[in-house]
Amino acid sequence: MNKILIIDDETPTLTMFRFLLSAYGYTVLTAENGEQGLALFDQERPPLVLTDIKMPGMDGIEVLKRIKKIDPRTEVIVITGHGDMDLAIKALNLDATDFINKPVQRQALNQALKRAEERMKLAHNKDQEISVSSENNTAVIHIQGNISSHSEACLQQAYQQVVAMDKDKILLSFNESASINGAGIAILTQLLLDAQQHNYKVLVSGLSDNFKKVFNIVGISKLVEEIVSGK
Amino acid sequence: MKLFADISIKNKFFFSIMTVILIISVAIAFLARWMLISTLTTELEIRGIALASSIADSSSGYILEKNYPQLLTLIYDVQQVSERKHLVAYIFITDPENKVISHTFTQPFPEQLRVANSIPPEQPQSIKLLHIGKKTAYDVALPIREGIYRIGTVHVGLYKSHIDTLMDQLRFMFLGFILLIIVIVFLISHKLAMYITRPISKLIRISNELSRGNFDIQLDNIIEGWKPMDCPAYGNPDLPCKLIEETESSSGDKTEQATRNLLACKQCVFYGRRKGDEVVQLANSFQNMIWRIKPYPQQLKETEEKYRSLFDSGPDPIFVVDRNSLEIVDANPRAFELYGYLKEDLIGKSILDLGPKTDKDYLSYFKEDEDAQGCVYYPKVIQYGEDQKPFFVNVHACAISYKDKPAIIIEATDITDLIEKDAQLIQASKMKSLGEMSAGIAHEINQPLNAIKLGSEFLEMMATENLDVPQNEFLRVVNEISNQVDRAADIINTLRAFGRKDSLIKDELDLNKPIKGAVSTVGKQLELENINIKLDLSEQISPILGYDNRLQQVFLNLVTNARDAITKRNKKEGRKDGGTITIKSYQYGNKVFAEVQDNGIGIPQSVMDKIFEPFFTTKEAGQGMGLGLAITYGIVEDHNGDIKIYSKEGEGTTFILSFSEAV
């Protein structure tokens, strides 16, 4: 059974999380503050951590930093206040797997957990993260895993391949497990601006609701023709 | 004595002088009478003795010879000589055996005469006053001697009426003389009294006229030759005289300073001493007095009209209130207008009926001390109009004397508009605070919502997937959901209470209540910012009179300020935590204190005196209006409280609020 560590200053929330995640089949560890959470993490080394961001004392961002320092492979999902995108992006930049808005919806929780699981599997074959294919008059870039500064070379390469195909449309097809951090967004923005100059029609598909929101906030949505839900 | 006091001066003079003259006259009369009578009696006696001895000398021969007819002739001759017959009443001679041998009586000899006056032995003669019939006479008895033998006794009776006639004449003359003197004295005293009383009577007449309010009487000639026009300063603007100038210029608008600058001549013809006796001096000073007070009634009337118009056209309601009964004695038209009463309804009403029973502080100043003078000022006093609608006034109350009775003049400035604006400002500031707090509040409400959501998602999942929920877990989840709903409702109630407008009337309240309210609103948020809130609240403090909501706003502002100060210091010094806000409440004497202390950046000395000014802010543009502390100050002032700051740059700030306990 997978272990999961939940850090939240609210005891009722912790209780509810424990019931829910136990029902999912996780072994649930809980901590009421950052320090306690870190100590428990160090001791139990769970591969998955859920942490609230706004906490007295050590906050969620600090916990995220420390955990990534101890074990960068750990998947950390942050829980943010409703619509607090600045903190969400800040967490993504620090290589958080995903963020969930409060109040936590089961669907969002499921997606985030699923993405985390898939990323854990993908961790072994990083090269497969970005691939290119072509369908009719559309060039497709498949994206899975985590888009970060490390992905710049792959993305640039994929973009060049797409340009070479000389199609009207470019489809950015995100896998459900895909996540993008701040650096990844910056690279993507750069590529999309270039595509706009060359009059490519860019479509985006497969984005989770969370990342749709992020794209809206950072302005990527304005650079693309359409964001298609699902496949 | 009373009788004497009541009669006129003229009669006083007359009677006084008369009495003295009469006393002296009577004394002189008696003295003169006594002297005259004794002198005349002695004279009479001497004459009697001389007569008797001459008879004795001439008669001894006849007696020895017993020639009694000759003897009779002798004594007749002696008695009848010229005027002597008026003086001598009788003569008779007795022999040694006391037998009458000769007498001049034409009727039978009165026998009692023979023994009435006998010469005692060893005496040369004897004189005795005797009554013979209707007449009175001195009987002079002298012995007739021949050698060493006594051969008889001669008695000469001398009429006393002789003396009486003289005395009568004298008395008549004396009385006539006194009568003459009385007439003269009467004339003199009358003249003298007239001289004194005539000007006095005139003064009395003028005084009566003045007391009847007639100031237009002619008084130029109380004393002849005296006229105010004789003064060189009269009507002369180049000679400013403080004594006479005023009479000419009826304008009362001369300032006191200007009046003081006026001069008087060293040798004032007007007020200087005039020649003459006390009556002239009195009349003179009386005339000066009239001259001085003559213009005053007119000036008084003008002044009264001037102030009456000020009173009537005053833009604020003014009441004159009897100090003892607190009844409204007078009020200006603005008072009727603002309070909505008719004049006859308002006059006579107690001033206490115009406001709520609790709000009488401004009158207590005059109640506590009967002799309290001066003025008091009380802001924001609630008043009720005729329609019982409340409005606010600032009250100025001064002790005055109105129609010779102690009174209070109360000016009430309508500040309802101001208060409404104030309330709007406070409300706006509250809304701003709410806006600032919204992120924190959202977080606060999200916490229970999150737990509720998770719980319900858990139950839903278990239900849809047909899984069994253990009894204890089910109960736990459901209880927790219920608790979290209560928690969210609490937060919303706090917010609603905070956003609500205050009532107009202060209530008794525990100062800890607004402190706790403010802390519960922002406490969690501060905790998330790693700012510690320490509460050190005394439960023994007395209640104060105040508005809970507004005081909550005060503490919220102070705590928010403290938070900002701590954040600033953290930023400047790069520290992460260690910020502490300490809130204390305690009582000292009859004052209740609250302290909000932080260890933030502190207030520079240079801006210390500005921080309560509206629109003063050290925050960047767009961060704050600079109204928070101004509003805080305003609210504390509304509670008749005081606010003090102790601050050291880099170490922190302490705000100390003090309020009077409710009585």
Side-chain angles (χ1 to χ4, degrees):
Chain A
M1 265 291 133
N2 267 337
K3 278 187 197 165
I4 187 163
L5 170 62
I6 303 164
I7 309 170
D8 198 318
D9 56 324
E10 289 276 315
T11 329
T13 306
L14 279 182
T15 313
M16 298 300 185
F17 261 127
R18 196 170 56 237
F19 289 161
L20 192 63
L21 292 173
S22 299
Y24 279 181
Y26 287 101
T27 306
V28 182
L29 307 168
T30 56
E32 281 186 17
N33 57 47
E35 287 85 356
Q36 206 185 336
L38 276 178
L40 205 57
F41 176 79
D42 219 18
Q43 191 187 317
E44 302 279 341
R45 293 293 171 122
L48 194 54
V49 177
L50 266 170
T51 180
D52 193 8
I53 288 191
K54 277 196 177 173
M55 287 188 292
M58 188 188 289
D59 66 6
I61 297 287
E62 187 65 29
V63 171
L64 172 65
K65 273 188 204 164
R66 301 263 183 109
I67 287 177
K68 285 288 178 183
K69 213 174 183 180
I70 296 167
D71 186 352
R73 289 171 307 167
T74 316
E75 299 295 338
V76 181
I77 300 169
V78 295
I79 304 165
T80 61
H82 191 83
D84 200 348
M85 278 300 154
D86 290 345
L87 274 175
I89 290 166
K90 195 175 176 188
L92 290 178
N93 283 342
L94 290 167
D95 205 17
T97 311
D98 204 347
F99 62 94
I100 315 174
N101 273 329
K102 274 185 197 171
V104 175
Q105 313 254 358
R106 190 146 56 94
Q107 204 193 341
L109 180 65
N110 289 347
Q111 275 186 359
L113 289 173
K114 196 174 167 194
R115 197 175 297 131
E117 305 256 329
E118 280 182 23
R119 276 165 51 114
M120 277 187 266
K121 281 182 210 155
L122 270 174
H124 309 292
N125 47 350
K126 275 216 166 185
D127 302 338
Q128 295 293 316
E129 276 180 0
I130 295 163
S131 60
V132 176
S133 68
S134 124
E135 286 171 27
N136 303 327
N137 59 345
T138 308
V140 185
I141 302 176
H142 300 275
I143 300 168
Q144 52 188 335
N146 191 13
I147 305 297
S148 67
S149 54
H150 303 294
S151 323
E152 188 174 3
C154 294
L155 260 180
Q156 281 291 350
Q157 198 189 347
Y159 181 67
Q160 295 308 327
Q161 284 173 14
V162 167
V163 168
M165 284 177 197
D166 198 22
K167 304 277 186 179
D168 292 343
K169 293 178 182 171
I170 299 173
L171 174 68
L172 293 175
S173 172
F174 285 87
N175 186 279
E176 264 185 64
S177 66
S179 72
I180 310 169
N181 72 4
I185 287 168
I187 295 159
L188 208 58
T189 310
Q190 202 61 48
L191 293 180
L192 289 172
L193 280 171
D194 190 69
Q196 200 180 34
Q197 273 180 355
H198 293 90
N199 290 322
Y200 288 113
K201 283 182 178 171
V202 182
L203 302 170
V204 176
S205 72
L207 267 186
S208 72
D209 289 346
N210 272 352
F211 282 105
K212 262 189 213 163
K213 276 182 212 155
V214 173
F215 275 26
N216 276 333
I217 283 166
V218 298
I220 287 182
S221 320
K222 286 176 192 159
L223 298 174
V224 303
E225 192 77 0
E226 199 183 353
I227 294 178
V228 192
S229 298
K231 290 286 172 187
Chain B
M1 218 53 220
K2 174 85 171 65
L3 213 67
F4 184 75
D6 285 347
I7 59 176
S8 70
I9 286 185
K10 191 177 81 179
N11 290 340
K12 276 188 186 128
F13 268 118
F14 178 68
F15 285 122
S16 305
I17 295 171
M18 276 301 292
T19 311
V20 171
I21 286 175
L22 280 179
I23 289 169
I24 293 171
S25 302
V26 167
I28 288 174
F30 275 101
L31 197 69
R33 199 178 109 99
W34 173 75
M35 275 173 65
L36 271 173
I37 287 176
S38 57
T39 312
L40 285 175
T41 309
T42 312
E43 176 107 355
L44 202 67
E45 283 168 7
I46 290 169
R47 281 182 77 174
I49 290 167
L51 212 61
S53 60
S54 80
I55 291 170
D57 285 345
S58 346
S59 65
S60 55
Y62 297 129
I63 294 168
L64 288 174
E65 290 162 12
K66 296 196 190 285
N67 187 359
Y68 296 131
Q70 205 58 46
L71 189 65
L72 187 65
T73 314
L74 175 74
I75 56 174
Y76 259 118
D77 285 347
V78 172
Q79 190 201 10
Q80 294 296 322
V81 170
S82 64
E83 91 280 9
R84 208 178 278 170
K85 59 185 172 218
H86 300 297
L87 180 67
V88 181
Y90 57 85
I91 301 170
F92 70 92
I93 296 167
T94 53
D95 63 5
E97 283 81 38
N98 208 15
K99 259 189 221 152
V100 179
I101 50 174
S102 184
H103 67 85
T104 58
F105 286 97
T106 48
Q107 56 268 69
F109 184 80
E111 201 49 39
Q112 81 272 17
L113 216 64
R114 198 167 47 92
V115 286
N117 183 24
S118 53
I119 301 164
E122 311 298 320
Q123 287 281 326
Q125 73 258 355
S126 168
I127 298 165
K128 215 167 184 178
L129 190 64
L130 299 175
H131 298 282
I132 311 132
K134 285 177 184 167
K135 292 186 175 163
T136 313
Y138 287 98
D139 183 274
V140 180
L142 199 75
I144 304 167
R145 294 179 193 274
E146 185 57 52
I148 52 161
Y149 303 103
R150 181 173 164 183
I151 54 168
T153 307
V154 61
H155 288 263
V156 177
L158 295 170
Y159 283 125
K160 187 170 176 280
S161 62
H162 174 71
I163 296 173
D164 288 345
T165 313
L166 269 175
M167 285 304 295
D168 281 346
Q169 281 173 359
L170 209 66
R171 191 177 292 138
F172 183 73
M173 264 172 63
F174 200 78
L175 282 176
F177 178 70
I178 284 177
L179 206 66
L180 189 70
I181 283 187
I182 285 171
V183 170
I184 291 169
V185 162
F186 175 78
L187 288 175
I188 288 174
S189 68
H190 182 76
K191 199 81 181 162
L192 201 66
M194 284 299 277
Y195 174 73
I196 294 171
T197 54
R198 201 193 302 116
I200 292 177
S201 303
K202 206 165 181 178
L203 294 184
I204 290 168
R205 194 171 48 75
I206 292 171
S207 298
N208 286 340
E209 285 295 316
L210 288 179
S211 61
R212 282 192 200 100
N214 177 15
F215 282 83
D216 294 329
I217 40 165
Q218 213 48 43
L219 36 86
D220 287 342
N221 42 12
I222 297 180
I223 299 156
E224 322 248 303
W226 183 95
K227 281 191 178 70
M229 294 79 183
D230 298 344
C231 175
Y234 184 84
N236 183 352
D238 295 335
L239 265 178
C241 175
K242 66 176 172 185
L243 300 177
I244 201 152
E245 177 76 358
E246 284 173 3
T247 60
E248 262 307 277
S249 83
S250 57
S251 59
D253 55 353
K254 208 178 286 170
T255 62
E256 207 175 311
Q257 184 63 37
T259 312
R260 208 173 293 139
N261 284 344
L262 294 171
L263 302 166
C265 300
K266 221 171 193 178
Q267 295 278 314
C268 181
V269 288
F270 196 101
Y271 288 97
R273 262 184 82 86
R274 228 159 289 277
K275 268 183 199 159
D277 59 17
E278 287 82 350
V279 179
V280 175
Q281 299 297 336
L282 173 66
N284 182 31
S285 66
F286 192 79
Q287 185 157 359
N288 286 345
M289 184 188 82
I290 296 169
W291 186 257
R292 286 287 286 207
I293 63 171
K294 205 175 157 181
Y296 289 161
Q298 180 61 27
Q299 284 179 11
L300 204 66
K301 213 171 140 193
E302 281 170 13
T303 314
E304 154 74 17
E305 275 167 11
K306 192 165 79 185
Y307 287 106
R308 183 37 80 169
S309 75
L310 279 182
F311 181 76
D312 282 347
S313 61
D316 294 322
I318 303 169
F319 299 96
V320 179
V321 172
D322 186 279
R323 189 156 176 168
N324 297 318
S325 65
L326 294 180
E327 262 176 26
I328 298 169
V329 187
D330 200 357
N332 67 349
R334 179 73 184 115
F336 310 130
E337 189 189 321
L338 182 67
Y339 284 77
Y341 283 101
L342 290 174
K343 182 168 183 171
E344 53 267 33
D345 292 341
L346 196 58
I347 304 292
K349 209 172 168 65
S350 169
I351 190 83
L352 296 175
D353 294 340
L354 295 180
K357 297 282 168 279
T358 51
D359 236 359
K360 287 298 150 242
D361 290 344
Y362 67 96
L363 287 172
S364 62
Y365 170 79
F366 298 103
K367 282 266 150 194
E368 278 161 21
D369 183 1
E370 293 275 303
D371 302 322
Q373 292 300 311
C375 298
V376 283
Y377 174 71
Y378 271 87
K380 297 188 187 173
V381 175
I382 295 183
Q383 298 280 274
Y384 295 124
E386 203 258 332
D387 51 6
Q388 294 305 311
K389 240 185 180 173
F391 56 91
F392 280 90
V393 292
N394 284 347
V395 169
H396 248 115
C398 294
I400 59 160
S401 151
Y402 185 82
K403 291 181 180 165
D404 291 335
K405 273 185 176 173
I408 307 167
I409 187 160
I410 296 173
E411 190 207 9
T413 313
D414 182 11
I415 52 156
T416 312
D417 284 355
L418 227 74
I419 294 276
E420 273 166 16
K421 289 274 184 304
D422 241 29
Q424 281 170 12
L425 193 63
I426 289 171
Q427 192 65 12
S429 127
K430 264 200 256 181
M431 288 305 149
K432 180 179 157 286
S433 301
L434 276 180
E436 280 170 1
M437 291 188 304
S438 63
I441 293 160
H443 175 84
E444 277 296 288
I445 295 181
N446 240 343
Q447 300 288 37
L449 289 184
N450 193 30
I452 294 165
K453 184 77 184 169
L454 281 171
S456 53
E457 293 279 25
F458 167 66
L459 294 179
E460 191 199 350
M461 185 185 83
M462 300 304 261
T464 48
E465 298 190 9
N466 259 337
L467 292 170
D468 271 346
V469 184
Q471 180 79 15
N472 63 333
E473 277 188 24
F474 182 81
L475 256 181
R476 181 83 190 272
V477 169
V478 173
N479 280 342
E480 203 63 80
I481 285 175
S482 176
N483 286 344
Q484 295 303 310
V485 169
D486 289 348
R487 183 178 158 195
D490 269 356
I491 295 167
I492 287 164
N493 281 341
T494 312
L495 283 177
R496 273 183 30 198
F498 179 66
R500 204 176 46 221
K501 267 192 174 180
D502 269 305
S503 67
L504 286 176
I505 296 171
K506 292 174 189 166
D507 294 319
E508 278 197 8
L509 68 94
D510 178 6
L511 192 58
N512 290 335
K513 199 178 158 223
I515 295 179
K516 285 175 184 162
V519 169
S520 80
T521 319
V522 289
K524 194 75 187 170
Q525 207 180 339
L526 294 174
E527 208 180 298
L528 289 172
E529 294 177 39
N530 292 329
I531 294 169
N532 228 337
I533 288 206
K534 276 193 200 159
L535 288 183
D536 179 8
L537 304 180
S538 161
E539 296 300 325
Q540 262 79 56
I541 56 174
S542 307
I544 64 165
L545 271 185
Y547 310 105
D548 180 25
N549 217 332
R550 293 194 184 181
L551 287 173
Q552 198 173 321
Q553 169 77 0
V554 164
F555 290 111
L556 198 70
N557 281 345
L558 293 179
V559 169
T560 312
N561 262 345
R563 193 258 326 262
D564 292 346
I566 288 169
T567 314
K568 254 192 183 170
R569 185 174 177 188
N570 288 354
K571 218 173 184 180
K572 193 179 171 195
E573 297 179 4
R575 65 172 189 181
K576 282 260 160 191
D577 42 21
T580 305
I581 300 172
T582 312
I583 307 179
K584 288 182 199 168
S585 68
Y586 52 90
Q587 177 143 14
Y588 186 79
N590 56 359
K591 295 258 177 194
V592 181
F593 291 84
E595 264 184 47
V596 178
Q597 185 181 28
D598 68 62
N599 58 353
I601 188 111
I603 301 167
Q605 205 60 44
S606 56
V607 301
M608 192 72 108
D609 50 348
K610 284 193 210 146
I611 61 164
F612 287 122
E613 286 175 17
F615 304 110
F616 175 81
T617 178
T618 56
K619 293 170 188 167
E620 283 162 36
Q623 290 271 324
M625 292 269 282
L627 285 176
L629 280 180
I631 287 170
T632 300
Y633 187 76
I635 296 173
V636 172
E637 220 181 23
D638 259 6
H639 288 77
N640 299 323
D642 192 25
I643 188 162
K644 280 202 170 69
I645 322 166
Y646 298 97
S647 187
K648 203 162 183 192
E649 224 180 327
E651 286 184 17
T653 307
T654 308
F655 284 87
I656 301 176
L657 280 62
S658 60
F659 303 93
S660 297
E661 64 178 20
V663 278

